[in-house]
Amino acid sequence: MNAINPSVCPECGAPLREGKSCQQRFEELLALEFENPGGAGSVHHLTVLCYMLQHNQYSDEAAAWAQAALKAVLEDGLSPSQLRYRSRKPLDQTVRTWKVTGSTAVTRGLRWPVTISDVALGDAAGHNQRVMAWAQAVWQTLKTRDDTTRG
């Protein structure tokens, strides 16, 4: 919890409602996705990408990979299932030369317009649409940051 404001997540700024942390909400989403792999589970990779980026849990290399994965789905038209298939080799721990977890400055301090608290509503109805909207918001935030740091 945030020492300054204990009612918001210190990483993503999400309101901590109903006494649930972002990690608890993430675990609830994972359970929902694993219960229904062909439905809610079809956007599992996007759920993980968004959560890990917003909570600064990726290494620099993984954060770069995650941004490229979001771009592939949201701008290049890759489906979440194609992303899953395409991710197998680059993320295989016997092949990759970088760590997935860590801490990166890439996402630190960003203001996120959509967070896990907007997505984790406890039911499957609309889950995939909420995750896609979350992914789009994360991608737009990252693009805006990249545009501002370049120009």
Side-chain angles (χ1 to χ4, degrees):
M1 301 235 179
N2 190 332
I4 297 168
N5 185 348
S7 65
V8 299
C9 174
E11 291 293 336
C12 74
L16 301 177
R17 294 188 284 259
E18 302 164 10
K20 291 183 182 178
S21 69
C22 288
Q23 178 68 40
Q24 290 168 312
R25 291 187 187 283
F26 181 58
E27 290 167 6
E28 289 173 357
L29 286 181
L30 296 181
L32 176 68
E33 292 172 353
F34 285 121
E35 285 173 7
N36 187 356
S42 66
V43 293
H44 171 72
H45 273 52
L46 295 176
T47 298
V48 173
L49 289 172
C50 292
Y51 179 80
M52 296 287 284
L53 284 166
Q54 286 187 336
H55 290 85
N56 192 34
Q57 293 186 5
Y58 277 139
S59 65
D60 287 337
E61 297 86 354
W65 177 87
Q67 288 180 87
L70 283 174
K71 179 188 181 298
V73 170
L74 300 168
E75 289 194 2
D76 302 338
L78 196 69
S79 73
S81 63
Q82 290 170 319
L83 173 64
R84 234 182 352 268
Y85 179 77
R86 205 185 265 187
S87 300
R88 287 185 177 143
K89 273 192 178 173
L91 295 181
D92 183 341
Q93 64 185 354
T94 64
V95 176
R96 75 179 141 72
T97 57
W98 43 270
K99 291 184 179 245
V100 172
T101 58
S103 179
T104 180
V106 170
T107 56
R108 194 170 296 119
L110 293 175
R111 291 185 180 261
W112 303 103
V114 177
T115 65
I116 197 163
S117 70
D118 300 308
V119 178
L121 302 178
D123 66 352
H127 172 77
N128 293 16
Q129 292 81 6
R130 289 189 303 271
V131 171
M132 289 300 290
W134 186 21
Q136 188 66 48
V138 168
W139 175 238
Q140 289 303 317
T141 301
L142 292 170
K143 274 181 50 175
T144 301
R145 185 236 30 232
D146 287 346
D147 291 345
T148 348
T149 57
R150 273 189 236 130

